[in-house]
Amino acid sequence: MSWQLTAADLPDLARGATLLGTGGGGDPYIGSKLVEQALGAGSITVLDPGDPADLPDDAFVIPTAQMGAPTVMIEKIPAGTEPTLALRTLEEHLGRTADATMPIECGGINSMIPFVVAAETGLPVVDADGMGRAFPELSMETFAVYGVHGSPLALAGERGEKIVIDTGDDDRQLEWLARAVTIRLGGVGHIAEYAMSGADVRRTAVPRTISMALSLGRAIRIAREDKRSPFDAIQKVLAPTLYHHVVDLFEGKIVDVERRTTEGFARGRVRIAPTGSGAELEISFQNENLTAHRDGELLAIVPDLICVLDHETAEPITTERLRYGQRVRVLGISTPDLMRTPEALVTFGPVAFGLSEDFVPVERIARTAGAAL
Amino acid sequence: MSWQLTAADLPDLARGATLLGTGGGGDPYIGSKLVEQALGAGSITVLDPGDPADLPDDAFVIPTAQMGAPTVMIEKIPAGTEPTLALRTLEEHLGRTADATMPIECGGINSMIPFVVAAETGLPVVDADGMGRAFPELSMETFAVYGVHGSPLALAGERGEKIVIDTGDDDRQLEWLARAVTIRLGGVGHIAEYAMSGADVRRTAVPRTISMALSLGRAIRIAREDKRSPFDAIQKVLAPTLYHHVVDLFEGKIVDVERRTTEGFARGRVRIAPTGSGAELEISFQNENLTAHRDGELLAIVPDLICVLDHETAEPITTERLRYGQRVRVLGISTPDLMRTPEALVTFGPVAFGLSEDFVPVERIARTAGAAL
């Protein structure tokens, strides 16, 4: 059943989306301010992708997102009209108007962009996405894994530039060309792509990730207010979802952060020492956290979620905010089955990041090690 | 009146287009081979832009060209179908089919690209262009100077990629974004842009530059065969055209070539020593030749043509073929009046290349110095 999102929900949604960003995805805070500004006292209808009354098979959905270096957003706040221009450009190109928009990435800032569009246009937002988290490239989509490709993509710039790119089934080439344009637009562009039917959403998207992000953010906040453990609250929220395994990977103090920006990505690693004696935890990242190892032993690996949180408040910490001396707790969260199939792992599993290790579900490693939360 | 171009004309057209390339524009030879292959024993109709019977006011013309580093073409020969794909993509975007194609640049390889399209589609080619020579950026167009802008531009890649870019009236931004895509397509892309009516062609284009290039190439060849001076032949061809001043700037031996590739451009200078004693000639270039100085004194400056030719055969020599020891003759050729207006000079005059000198017509400098051919 559909539900209404209001401005009051935005801080919780932002917190939950940061957690699902697994260290990357860009800061949803600026995005939430754009939604707030466009929405005022109104509300946005959020459609349940599992309910054909909300989203008929022949509904036409155009997802919207931001592309580019999230760090640019902090210094260069977009006008806010670009994502809608991208949607309108794709509508014009396809000769068909959208019935709804949808995120292509539920983690980080891209959780917010469809709501900016919705607040401006009155369109509803489908409660689903194509990553189930954040990933560094816009071709890393369950949509594409299951046959819905990004082309044609519409890209809009802050000076009203409109670009349409069509690379057929080649989503990597689409990403490659769109990113070149984005760089020349000043580092950030807004896009509309992966246009699809309601039936395609049901078949290819990760469902209910927006309501899950909102529930996560809300549960963390309420637990803090009630002086309960926000980590227990996270587990309770996720238990009935497609992300039901939550593994307590580590708790400790950050002792080293190594970070370099290469080819537009923030790559590096963070080392966390235990409170007492024992082996350190090492997390590697490329925008998002990719692997967690203790003493050379793999604890979790992409596409499972590796989330670094403040050890008391459970506030999620992005890779660019990692600092020496922070006391953190690291969770491993299982991703839905449709993100773990062989074809999905080719697109956004370890091999897609040049890692030599195979994917092993975080809950299986935990069972062996007896470390489940 | 219209005329027919056949494969037998291509070597002469290539020679003339190289001369009009003023050192740049890319080698038309590979382009002429693509035309030959597509044309076979057929012919292409070339329309006189001055004749409304050939080109009615409401005719719809879509110019076609190649964008990118001409040096790449030598190693990476295009399939030949990209320029037509670019034209078809723009037709589809605009919802209108073209009645003719046209060059946007008559110097260098872009003299040939519309003929590749014409040979494949059966469309006629308008005998005109928007540069009257070659320039390094595709925004340096008489079309744009007189109000016909490049947007929307369609760009096609060799793997069937289709890109449409619309930056409104901002042709520099269009160039900037299209070049980024071109670089990621491997250095060369094919484009269709500056779509316009027959009336707009008459108002904004440099007329009869293709027939002029063909006449130049043919006259040089026949003079050689007849053991007459090809330099006299060049002057005779140009006298009745809009390019009627031909100034003999210098004759001598190349003693130094300095060349560096920066930001995708071949920039540098060449020094030529006289046969006897006296001051050297120095030519600066950015893909195309920009200025000619002798002893610090300006002899010719962009947008007038500075052409370096073999001292005997009058074969035009591009900047990448300049070599120590070559014996050359350098001509300055006046550009048409519509390329010398204040608004035209802002777009492709000295200031557009960051030069501090003002434009002075080559024939006026020559009159002062008494050096006319």
Side-chain angles (χ1 to χ4, degrees), chain B residues 207-222:
Chain B
R208 302 190 188 92
T209 43
I210 293 301
S211 47
M212 187 177 82
L214 177 56
S215 299
L216 278 170
R218 186 185 287 152
I220 292 170
R221 173 176 54 81
I222 292 174

Side-chain angles (χ1 to χ4, degrees), chain B residues 119-311:
Chain B
E120 279 176 4
T121 61
L123 286 175
V125 175
V126 181
D127 185 3
D129 80 306
M131 291 188 178
R133 45 169 289 169
F135 283 125
E137 294 188 24
L138 292 176
S139 52
M140 295 173 158
E141 290 286 328
T142 56
F143 307 149
V145 170
Y146 300 109
V148 175
H149 296 286
S151 290
L153 170 149
L155 209 160
E158 63 174 352
R159 283 152 64 189
E161 299 94 337
K162 299 184 286 185
I163 296 97
V164 176
I165 308 180
D166 188 339
T167 60
D169 290 355
D170 192 341
D171 296 306
R172 296 296 299 274
Q173 182 75 346
L174 183 68
E175 154 83 22
W176 177 243
L177 299 181
R179 200 161 290 273
V181 174
T182 293
I183 291 167
R184 293 220 163 170
L185 287 174
V188 176
H190 286 82
I191 59 175
E193 58 166 348
Y194 293 103
M196 70 181 88
S197 68
D200 280 336
V201 171
R202 270 186 279 286
R203 191 172 59 78
T204 70
V206 189
R208 302 190 188 92
T209 43
I210 293 301
S211 47
M212 187 177 82
L214 177 56
S215 299
L216 278 170
R218 186 185 287 152
I220 292 170
R221 173 176 54 81
I222 292 174
R224 287 181 199 160
E225 288 167 4
D226 295 350
K227 314 278 183 210
R228 289 182 291 107
S229 160
F231 291 93
D232 291 349
I234 290 170
Q235 200 186 18
K236 271 185 199 129
V237 167
L238 293 177
T241 71
L242 299 173
Y243 296 72
H244 48 271
H245 300 288
V246 179
V247 179
D248 211 358
L249 296 179
F250 203 78
E251 188 168 345
K253 197 179 79 166
I254 294 180
V255 291
D256 191 40
V257 184
E258 181 196 319
R259 200 170 11 215
R260 59 194 184 287
T261 300
T262 55
E263 296 152 21
F265 295 117
R267 296 175 207 264
R269 49 192 71 241
V270 57
R271 284 194 299 115
I272 307 167
T275 316
S277 61
E280 294 177 347
L281 187 80
E282 183 172 287
I283 297 173
S284 71
F285 53 82
Q286 177 185 337
N287 290 9
E288 288 76 35
N289 300 322
L290 296 179
T291 60
H293 288 90
R294 192 182 48 209
D295 222 4
E297 179 202 0
L298 183 73
L299 296 191
I301 189 164
V302 66
D304 279 345
L305 282 65
I306 299 164
C307 305
V308 181
L309 310 171
D310 180 273
H311 77 126

Side-chain angles (χ1 to χ4, degrees), chain A residues 130-133 135 137 139-147 172 203-206 301-304 335-353 359:
Chain A
M131 291 188 179
R133 46 170 290 168
F135 283 125
E137 295 187 22
S139 52
M140 296 173 158
E141 292 286 328
T142 55
F143 307 149
V145 170
Y146 300 108
R172 295 297 298 274
R203 190 172 58 79
T204 70
V206 189
I301 190 163
V302 67
D304 279 345
T335 46
D337 290 344
L338 92 162
M339 295 180 63
R340 293 169 156 192
T341 61
E343 55 268 45
L345 294 177
V346 167
T347 302
F348 44 65
V351 70
F353 296 92
F359 174 72

Side-chain angles (χ1 to χ4, degrees), chain A residues 92-93 159-167 170 173 175-177 179-181 183-185, chain B residues 92-93 159-167 170 173 175-177 179-181 183-185:
Chain A
E92 199 181 322
H93 180 77
R159 284 151 64 190
E161 299 94 335
K162 298 183 288 185
I163 297 96
V164 176
I165 308 178
D166 189 338
T167 60
D170 191 341
Q173 182 76 344
E175 153 85 21
W176 177 243
L177 299 180
R179 200 161 290 272
V181 174
I183 290 166
R184 294 220 162 168
L185 286 174
Chain B
E92 198 181 323
H93 180 77
R159 283 152 64 189
E161 299 94 337
K162 299 184 286 185
I163 296 97
V164 176
I165 308 180
D166 188 339
T167 60
D170 192 341
Q173 182 75 346
E175 154 83 22
W176 177 243
L177 299 181
R179 200 161 290 273
V181 174
I183 291 167
R184 293 220 163 170
L185 287 174

Side-chain angles (χ1 to χ4, degrees), chain A residues 129-249:
Chain A
D129 80 305
M131 291 188 179
R133 46 170 290 168
F135 283 125
E137 295 187 22
L138 292 175
S139 52
M140 296 173 158
E141 292 286 328
T142 55
F143 307 149
V145 170
Y146 300 108
V148 175
H149 296 285
S151 289
L153 170 149
L155 209 160
E158 62 174 352
R159 284 151 64 190
E161 299 94 335
K162 298 183 288 185
I163 297 96
V164 176
I165 308 178
D166 189 338
T167 60
D169 289 355
D170 191 341
D171 296 305
R172 295 297 298 274
Q173 182 76 344
L174 183 67
E175 153 85 21
W176 177 243
L177 299 180
R179 200 161 290 272
V181 174
T182 293
I183 290 166
R184 294 220 162 168
L185 286 174
V188 176
H190 286 82
I191 60 173
E193 58 168 346
Y194 292 104
M196 69 182 88
S197 68
D200 279 335
V201 171
R202 268 186 280 286
R203 190 172 58 79
T204 70
V206 189
R208 302 193 188 89
T209 43
I210 294 300
S211 49
M212 187 177 80
L214 178 56
S215 298
L216 279 170
R218 184 185 287 151
I220 293 170
R221 173 176 55 80
I222 292 174
R224 285 181 200 160
E225 288 168 3
D226 295 350
K227 315 280 184 206
R228 290 182 290 108
S229 160
F231 291 92
D232 291 350
I234 290 170
Q235 200 187 18
K236 270 185 200 130
V237 166
L238 293 177
T241 72
L242 299 173
Y243 297 72
H244 49 271
H245 299 289
V246 180
V247 178
D248 211 359
L249 296 179

